[in-house]
Amino acid sequence: SQARPLRYLLFLKKLGFKTKIVLEVHSEKEPWDNTALKGVNGIIFTSKSLMDHFTKRYSIPYEIQKRVFYHRIRKPLVREIHNPIIDKHNYHIGYIGGLELWKGVDTIVEAMRYLPNNVKALFIGGKEGSTDYVRLLSKAKDLGVANRVQFKGYVSYAVLEESISEIDVFVLPLRDHIEGSIPLKLFDYMYFGKPIIASDQESIREVLENGITSLFFSPGSAKELAEQIKMLIENPSLGYNLSLNAYKSLEPYTLNKWLEAMKSFLEKV
């Protein structure tokens, strides 16, 4: 999915190597050019909005096969989603992933000042001592919420499963549109069977539905995020229904479905 390796493959093709090239695009940030793109046989996109933005920006020949392939769930859908018992005196917000500014994690820290002291935030991912880690910790101290924010860094999957048991709600706080990308963690959130609060982004709306499988808030709005969290604390049945609906909606994203669709696509290419 990088522009430079694509040029190498196209060069080999010009030398006479009989091969077909299928490009997977996760973002528009790569320095693509129309000449290189015309040499591929197929393009895979990770969201419909990314495909729409990409095809408008570049002159993609009609004969090049294009298709959206969302991220897939590798595990079978056998998890039971239980109606949670919410401890209003010890409520945990969860986030898994990197701590970069564009991912919107600062919004979670900022939302803590609008939430009662019994609400805590757990960040799983990022490197202790990194620039992003220091930035978030400094912000938490400035806002007086550092005692309610915990950073676990990157953990093994076994530890991750244990940490997830502490979490009451997952937050996907993307601040920027990032050219239509959909984070892999979104499908993990859905699989873990906890309610999701996500920033309202075009690409996210392809997978989640506000009020049905998640709750949305305006990107970067700490106050809106805090209000949605309060709503789930006061209404556990809403959180359960969101979790159950999100989990059930994963059926199209299973590995078997993905393999069937990919086989069909590659045969067309």
Side-chain angles (χ1 to χ4, degrees), residues 75-130:
K75 290 190 173 184
L77 299 179
V78 295
R79 183 185 292 266
E80 291 186 15
I81 309 301
H82 300 286
N83 200 339
I85 299 174
I86 300 298
D87 182 0
K88 294 184 179 181
H89 302 290
N90 192 26
Y91 194 85
H92 287 87
I93 306 166
Y95 169 84
I96 301 174
L99 306 177
E100 293 89 345
L101 186 63
W102 64 267
K103 293 188 176 181
V105 284
D106 295 64
T107 308
I108 299 177
V109 176
E110 292 165 7
M112 296 301 290
R113 60 178 166 168
Y114 303 112
L115 293 165
N117 291 331
N118 60 292
V119 178
K120 299 176 176 62
L122 177 61
F123 294 88
I124 303 173
K127 185 177 180 181
E128 185 174 355
S130 67

Side-chain angles (χ1 to χ4, degrees), residues 3-202:
R4 184 175 295 177
L6 172 61
R7 296 190 188 101
Y8 292 152
L9 290 172
L10 292 171
F11 177 71
L12 291 175
K13 198 172 182 179
K14 286 182 178 180
L15 291 178
F17 285 85
K18 294 183 178 180
T19 185
K20 292 191 175 182
I21 299 173
V22 175
L23 177 68
E24 183 176 50
V25 177
H26 293 254
S27 167
E28 287 187 67
K29 289 183 178 179
E30 289 289 335
W32 307 109
D33 63 75
N34 289 331
T35 302
L37 291 171
K38 288 178 181 178
V40 303
N41 303 97
I43 306 178
I44 293 169
F45 300 91
T46 53
S47 75
K48 184 180 182 302
S49 55
L50 175 58
M51 183 172 71
D52 292 343
H53 288 292
F54 196 90
T55 51
K56 285 179 181 178
R57 183 174 176 180
Y58 300 100
S59 302
I60 309 298
Y62 178 79
E63 62 271 16
I64 293 178
Q65 295 290 327
K66 299 180 291 293
R67 182 158 178 176
V68 174
F69 282 87
Y70 296 101
H71 294 299
R72 56 204 175 277
I73 296 295
R74 297 178 183 273
K75 290 190 173 184
L77 299 179
V78 295
R79 183 185 292 266
E80 291 186 15
I81 309 301
H82 300 286
N83 200 339
I85 299 174
I86 300 298
D87 182 0
K88 294 184 179 181
H89 302 290
N90 192 26
Y91 194 85
H92 287 87
I93 306 166
Y95 169 84
I96 301 174
L99 306 177
E100 293 89 345
L101 186 63
W102 64 267
K103 293 188 176 181
V105 284
D106 295 64
T107 308
I108 299 177
V109 176
E110 292 165 7
M112 296 301 290
R113 60 178 166 168
Y114 303 112
L115 293 165
N117 291 331
N118 60 292
V119 178
K120 299 176 176 62
L122 177 61
F123 294 88
I124 303 173
K127 185 177 180 181
E128 185 174 355
S130 67
T131 302
D132 294 308
Y133 172 88
V134 172
R135 184 194 74 250
L136 284 173
L137 186 58
S138 177
K139 182 183 287 288
K141 290 178 179 177
D142 291 342
L143 295 175
V145 299
N147 62 322
R148 296 193 286 127
V149 174
Q150 180 183 4
F151 296 93
K152 283 203 170 184
Y154 293 109
V155 299
S156 66
Y157 199 84
V159 175
L160 177 61
E161 286 279 0
E162 182 180 335
S163 299
I164 288 168
S165 64
E166 305 174 34
I167 294 171
D168 296 292
V169 58
F170 279 114
V171 177
L172 185 64
L174 290 175
R175 192 185 69 173
D176 298 330
H177 179 60
I178 56 170
E179 296 87 24
S181 296
I182 299 178
L184 177 59
K185 73 168 82 33
L186 169 57
F187 298 91
D188 290 331
Y189 284 0
M190 296 165 71
Y191 178 79
F192 291 138
K194 302 293 178 79
I196 301 168
I197 301 177
S199 57
D200 188 4
Q201 303 275 5
E202 180 183 9

Side-chain angles (χ1 to χ4, degrees), residues 80-86 193 235-241 243-244:
E80 291 186 15
I81 309 301
H82 300 286
N83 200 339
I85 299 174
I86 300 298
N235 192 348
S237 62
L238 171 62
Y240 170 67
N241 288 330
S243 306
L244 187 61

